[in-house]
Amino acid sequence: MINQQRLWQSLMDMGEIGGTEKGGVCRLALTDLDKQARDLFVQWCKDAGCTIRIDKMGNIFAHRAGLDDSLPPVVMGSHLDTQPTGGKFDGIYGVLAGLEVIRTLNDKGMETRAPIEASVWTNEEGSRFPPAMVASGVFAGVFELDYGLSRADLDGKTMGQELERIGYNGPDDVGGRPFKAFFEAHIEQGPILEDEKKQIGVVTDAQGQRWYEITLTGQESHAGPTPMSRRRDALVGAARLIDQVNKIGLAHQPNACATVGLLQVFPNSRNVIPGQVFFTVDFRHPDADVLAKMDQALRETADSVTTELGLEMAFEQIWYSPPVPFDTDCVALVRQAATDFGYSHRDIVSGAGHDACYISRVAPTAMVFVPCENGISHNEAENATPEDLAAGCNVLFQAVVERANS
Amino acid sequence: MINQQRLWQSLMDMGEIGGTEKGGVCRLALTDLDKQARDLFVQWCKDAGCTIRIDKMGNIFAHRAGLDDSLPPVVMGSHLDTQPTGGKFDGIYGVLAGLEVIRTLNDKGMETRAPIEASVWTNEEGSRFPPAMVASGVFAGVFELDYGLSRADLDGKTMGQELERIGYNGPDDVGGRPFKAFFEAHIEQGPILEDEKKQIGVVTDAQGQRWYEITLTGQESHAGPTPMSRRRDALVGAARLIDQVNKIGLAHQPNACATVGLLQVFPNSRNVIPGQVFFTVDFRHPDADVLAKMDQALRETADSVTTELGLEMAFEQIWYSPPVPFDTDCVALVRQAATDFGYSHRDIVSGAGHDACYISRVAPTAMVFVPCENGISHNEAENATPEDLAAGCNVLFQAVVERANS
Ligand SMILES: NC(=O)NCCC(=O)O
Ligand SMILES: NC(=O)NCCC(=O)O
């Protein structure tokens, strides 16, 4: 129904902006490359007859008028930013699937009762500016606007400064307007659909997350003449905690995930005992109680490791995103569409956070997953088939149109 | 005998070049700041009547003529480069103590039979360009000139390029000329002299070192939807090895040191399982056999950790500097001078590598240590007293003059 070839080509064209040698994409939030990607999306939407609005967090909404344009819109969308070694599909698929729905409506000369919008949410990845999903979070009232604009990267540049620099600090207030529904299409980013040979994941829930920042401080000193007994080596402390984070993940199977993804050593010189180490922890679980137990275990092990090694510690949980149940009506629309098209499908819990998680607080929300190769994401090798992507887009199309006409 | 106040003032003046807020110095090898420090030293030496020669590795020699200027010189010296968070004394003291000896000879109108030189050795720290002591190593014939010039920093800039850029790629051949002796004064960089309240360390030996570079490669993937059982997390592997490196150090007490000082994570994003980690290992021991056992233990644990976690490993010992016995005659001159001045002293083994270690292969060599505060070095808090520094310089003066006149 939707145009598989056009959707694929748009993904490939967008993937050239920040495209890497290995076939992935490096397009961090609010960089010059992010601006180029936004500009291209805006141009495509204008070409499709949409009007564009941009809010103060840089979120973009491309509006296709409804028969009754005073009704709240049914909104689709996701994000255009990527990880440093990201792929062509994570987020981008959800944005361009939204555009493809609009293009298909245009092709067919179809009108909908409520208006339809394709959206782009700023800095979903949280890689450059932690936490993740910060702009959809502001939209949903989870974060204050000031909090959103003041998130800073490791060089101290804030989202507010960078939005202004690339010209995407729009005039609109962030949030405060109703959506008739929100639908986000996305690659699964995990192995379940592929393993079970299902083409569509009907996303019922998203697991909860806790993100931490930990700084261990010891004393830098010479690696040669400083006896082992006199050392306060911050990296030895970090190493033990990284191993413990991994063990906490393993101890809460099935389903728990535990990751240290970012770590910085100071002064980071071969013959200097590290005086300070900064690192992050990412905990996930579908059950908030288990997540709380993991939190408890981390605090205990962090205290005991640092005490044992004589290190100082700054420990902060910088983000908690509780488990999210999606809207049963919207989820049913997705399930029904997959059934109607005859696609193999199963209900699934999202392992990743998505803008849909926050939008679900202010609008009836659901998600559509499609498989990705080997379950790999946040990797330049991320891949998905044109057929699966088209199937997900068809499901999105039907769910959105039904909702808009209801 | 030497001018304590002038020596201290020269150290303070030099410490302003790259001086940090915390009172330390950040003056990495062959940066603009290193050039400034070199220029100042050269100017001071010219003011003291010396002639300057610079070799192809950027080593600087300030020559004070002897009564028989055809004799090989007695050379003093150390280095002007520092760690990223280094101090005012490590290396710089040995350079400026050499200059102070020459200034004192001038004050007293003293001549020596053999000429005397104060020297600066390029990139002793090995922090920007590994390994350490690379330019004195080329001088001593341990490394080829090409090897020295092609050492690269983490951005890929080579020593050859950077020497040319700052104008210290001199015309002289590196090495191949005899020294009557080489003496290096240095802060101890460890706690022994301070703990035992000795003012002078008579350095008899330097311990051996092995430096390694290890790259672990797993697979980067999303920290949320990637089950623990499917992960190949390079940072978990690195963490276990860092802990093992520490344990290998502890297992070979007394005297063994084991440090991971530098570590880089790729892609270094909070919600990405690390796909690759690069880190270094620094092993030290006065006994080459024990060092070989530590090496063996590291290889075994590295193999088992990487196999267990399904990681690939690139493992390289990039540097071996064997334990160094200094020249007994030159060491005796240092011990005698300390005794003659009535300074409390003890024989000591150097925990750090020094340019003297390599020069000892081509010239009779000895070192003079003075205490440093809390044994701390490679730290902005590095400190030493004017009195102890003057005592070390007096010992240097006597040893050098006796040797030059012998
Ligand atoms: N979908 C996705 O990769 N989101 C990034 C936020 C997260 O780490 O879950
Ligand atoms: N003295 C000194 O800090 N040398 C650096 C080389 C080493 O790490 O031993």
Side-chain angles (χ1 to χ4, degrees):
Chain A
M1 233 174 64
I2 62 93
N3 186 330
Q4 174 178 318
Q5 165 57 22
R6 180 171 57 194
L7 172 60
W8 182 258
Q9 191 56 49
S10 299
L11 283 161
M12 294 306 108
D13 291 347
M14 191 58 92
E16 281 179 18
I17 302 173
T20 62
E21 272 182 26
K22 289 191 190 166
V25 179
C26 173
R27 196 167 62 218
L28 296 179
L30 306 187
T31 55
D32 290 351
L33 291 169
D34 188 12
K35 174 187 160 52
Q36 282 179 45
R38 289 162 172 265
D39 289 351
L40 181 60
F41 172 76
V42 166
Q43 190 53 53
W44 280 344
C45 291
K46 286 182 177 164
D47 294 347
C50 295
T51 52
I52 304 292
R53 307 198 64 160
I54 300 172
D55 73 20
K56 292 187 169 68
M57 282 303 299
N59 300 317
I60 308 172
F61 303 92
H63 182 92
R64 183 178 191 269
L67 290 169
D68 180 353
D69 211 37
S70 69
L71 288 173
V74 176
V75 183
M76 309 162 289
S78 191
H79 59 97
L80 290 175
D81 66 317
T82 78
Q83 292 287 330
T85 53
K88 293 191 189 76
F89 305 95
D90 170 5
I92 301 105
Y93 169 56
V95 171
L96 298 183
L99 172 62
E100 179 55 35
V101 166
I102 290 175
R103 285 170 166 173
T104 301
L105 287 168
N106 290 349
D107 290 348
K108 298 186 188 298
M110 275 172 73
E111 308 245 47
T112 54
R113 198 172 143 253
I116 286 179
E117 294 186 4
S119 64
V120 173
W121 301 92
T122 298
N123 184 48
E124 190 268 354
E125 293 291 356
S127 176
R128 181 172 176 201
F129 303 100
M133 300 132 55
V134 67
S136 50
V138 174
F139 191 95
V142 178
F143 304 125
E144 300 285 336
L145 177 61
D146 280 353
Y147 174 88
L149 294 176
S150 63
R151 290 311 86 208
D153 66 13
L154 291 174
D155 295 331
K157 288 188 188 133
T158 66
M159 289 188 63
Q161 289 163 346
E162 288 292 275
L163 277 169
E164 196 175 323
R165 190 183 65 79
I166 68 165
Y168 272 89
N169 54 338
D172 277 25
D173 284 341
V174 187
R177 67 180 176 114
F179 290 174
K180 196 169 163 70
F182 181 75
F183 290 94
E184 180 168 359
H186 211 284
I187 55 168
E188 180 199 340
Q189 309 188 277
I192 298 169
L193 295 179
E194 189 182 64
D195 279 2
E196 299 188 6
K197 301 199 174 18
K198 305 284 192 214
Q199 202 164 19
I200 297 292
V202 179
V203 188
T204 57
D205 301 83
Q207 62 183 350
Q209 307 189 37
R210 288 177 185 256
W211 284 17
Y212 303 84
E213 291 185 352
I214 302 179
T215 304
L216 300 183
T217 304
Q219 182 173 52
E220 61 230 44
S221 189
H222 198 303
T226 311
M228 297 300 282
S229 58
R230 289 228 184 192
R231 296 178 174 215
R232 292 194 294 129
D233 185 328
L235 185 55
V236 170
R240 292 196 191 157
L241 279 182
I242 292 164
D243 197 33
Q244 286 302 318
V245 164
N246 188 255
K247 290 198 164 68
I248 291 169
L250 294 170
H252 294 87
Q253 291 306 307
N255 293 331
C257 284
T259 310
V260 175
L262 186 152
L263 182 142
Q264 290 181 310
V265 181
F266 303 95
N268 217 29
S269 182
R270 290 157 201 257
N271 42 2
V272 184
I273 298 160
Q276 195 165 76
V277 176
F278 170 82
F279 63 100
T280 61
V281 176
D282 174 320
F283 275 165
R284 313 215 178 184
H285 200 279
D287 179 340
D289 291 342
V290 179
L291 214 44
K293 282 191 192 129
M294 293 167 72
D295 175 270
Q296 193 52 37
L298 177 62
R299 288 173 197 272
E300 281 166 16
T301 193
D303 280 339
S304 77
V305 164
T306 51
T307 305
E308 194 183 330
L309 294 174
L311 302 172
E312 282 149 45
M313 174 170 65
F315 181 107
E316 197 187 350
Q317 179 185 300
I318 61 150
W319 189 43
Y320 175 50
S321 172
V324 174
F326 287 117
D327 179 76
T328 42
D329 290 347
C330 290
V331 171
L333 282 175
V334 170
R335 197 182 291 111
Q336 189 59 50
T339 308
D340 291 350
F341 278 104
Y343 298 141
S344 58
H345 60 89
R346 61 161 278 172
D347 286 6
I348 192 167
V349 175
S350 174
H354 296 283
D355 294 305
C357 295
Y358 278 146
I359 303 306
S360 74
R361 302 207 187 188
V362 290
T365 295
M367 293 190 73
V368 186
F369 272 1
V370 295
C372 60
E373 198 174 297
N374 299 317
I376 296 289
S377 176
H378 287 192
N379 186 312
E380 291 167 88
E382 186 182 276
N383 202 10
T385 68
E387 294 73 24
D388 290 343
L389 296 165
C393 192
N394 277 330
V395 169
L396 179 70
F397 181 94
Q398 176 173 320
V400 164
V401 172
E402 293 226 342
R403 184 76 180 190
N405 289 334
S406 72
Chain B
M1 232 173 63
I2 62 94
N3 186 328
Q4 173 178 318
Q5 165 57 23
R6 178 172 57 194
L7 172 61
W8 181 258
Q9 192 55 50
S10 298
L11 283 161
M12 294 306 106
D13 291 347
M14 189 59 91
E16 281 180 17
I17 302 173
T20 64
E21 272 181 26
K22 289 190 190 166
V25 178
C26 174
R27 194 168 62 218
L28 296 180
L30 307 187
T31 55
D32 290 352
L33 291 169
D34 188 10
K35 175 187 159 51
Q36 283 179 44
R38 288 162 173 265
D39 289 351
L40 181 59
F41 171 75
V42 166
Q43 190 54 52
W44 280 343
C45 291
K46 286 183 177 163
D47 294 347
C50 295
T51 53
I52 304 293
R53 307 198 62 161
I54 301 172
D55 72 20
K56 293 187 168 70
M57 283 302 300
N59 299 316
I60 308 172
F61 303 92
H63 183 92
R64 182 179 192 268
L67 291 169
D68 179 353
D69 211 36
S70 68
L71 287 174
V74 175
V75 183
M76 309 162 288
S78 190
H79 59 96
L80 290 175
D81 66 316
T82 77
Q83 291 288 330
T85 54
K88 291 191 190 78
F89 304 95
D90 170 5
I92 301 103
Y93 169 56
V95 171
L96 298 183
L99 173 62
E100 178 55 34
V101 166
I102 289 175
R103 286 170 165 172
T104 301
L105 287 168
N106 290 349
D107 290 349
K108 297 186 188 299
M110 273 173 76
E111 308 244 45
T112 53
R113 197 174 143 252
I116 285 179
E117 294 187 2
S119 63
V120 173
W121 302 92
T122 298
N123 184 48
E124 190 269 353
E125 293 290 356
S127 176
R128 181 173 177 202
F129 303 100
M133 300 130 58
V134 67
S136 50
V138 174
F139 191 95
V142 178
F143 304 126
E144 300 284 336
L145 177 62
D146 280 355
Y147 174 88
L149 293 176
S150 63
R151 291 311 84 208
D153 65 13
L154 290 174
D155 296 331
K157 288 190 190 129
T158 65
M159 288 187 64
Q161 289 164 348
E162 289 294 273
L163 276 170
E164 196 176 324
R165 190 183 66 77
I166 68 166
Y168 273 88
N169 55 338
D172 278 24
D173 285 341
V174 187
R177 68 179 176 114
F179 290 175
K180 195 170 163 71
F182 182 74
F183 290 93
E184 181 167 359
H186 211 283
I187 55 169
E188 179 198 342
Q189 309 188 275
I192 298 170
L193 295 178
E194 189 183 66
D195 279 1
E196 299 188 8
K197 301 201 173 18
K198 304 283 192 214
Q199 202 165 18
I200 297 292
V202 179
V203 189
T204 56
D205 300 84
Q207 61 183 352
Q209 306 190 37
R210 289 177 185 257
W211 283 18
Y212 304 84
E213 291 186 352
I214 301 178
T215 304
L216 300 183
T217 304
Q219 182 173 53
E220 60 230 45
S221 189
H222 197 304
T226 310
M228 298 300 282
S229 58
R230 290 226 183 193
R231 295 178 176 215
R232 292 194 295 128
D233 184 329
L235 186 55
V236 171
R240 292 196 191 156
L241 279 182
I242 292 164
D243 196 32
Q244 286 302 318
V245 163
N246 189 255
K247 290 198 164 69
I248 291 169
L250 294 170
H252 292 87
Q253 291 306 308
N255 293 332
C257 284
T259 310
V260 175
L262 185 151
L263 182 141
Q264 290 181 310
V265 181
F266 305 94
N268 217 27
S269 182
R270 291 156 201 259
N271 42 1
V272 183
I273 299 161
Q276 195 164 77
V277 176
F278 170 83
F279 63 102
T280 61
V281 176
D282 173 321
F283 275 165
R284 313 214 180 186
H285 201 278
D287 179 339
D289 291 341
V290 179
L291 214 46
K293 281 190 193 129
M294 294 167 72
D295 174 271
Q296 192 53 35
L298 177 62
R299 287 172 197 270
E300 280 165 16
T301 192
D303 280 339
S304 77
V305 165
T306 51
T307 305
E308 194 184 332
L309 294 173
L311 303 172
E312 282 150 46
M313 173 170 63
F315 181 107
E316 195 186 353
Q317 179 185 300
I318 62 150
W319 188 43
Y320 176 49
S321 172
V324 175
F326 287 118
D327 179 76
T328 42
D329 289 348
C330 289
V331 171
L333 282 174
V334 169
R335 197 182 291 112
Q336 188 60 49
T339 308
D340 290 351
F341 279 104
Y343 297 141
S344 58
H345 61 91
R346 61 161 277 172
D347 287 5
I348 192 168
V349 174
S350 173
H354 296 284
D355 295 306
C357 296
Y358 279 147
I359 302 307
S360 75
R361 301 205 187 189
V362 289
T365 295
M367 294 190 71
V368 186
F369 273 1
V370 295
C372 60
E373 198 174 298
N374 299 317
I376 296 290
S377 176
H378 288 192
N379 187 311
E380 291 167 89
E382 187 183 276
N383 202 9
T385 67
E387 294 72 25
D388 290 343
L389 296 165
C393 192
N394 278 329
V395 169
L396 179 70
F397 181 94
Q398 176 172 321
V400 164
V401 172
E402 294 227 342
R403 184 76 179 187
N405 290 334
S406 70

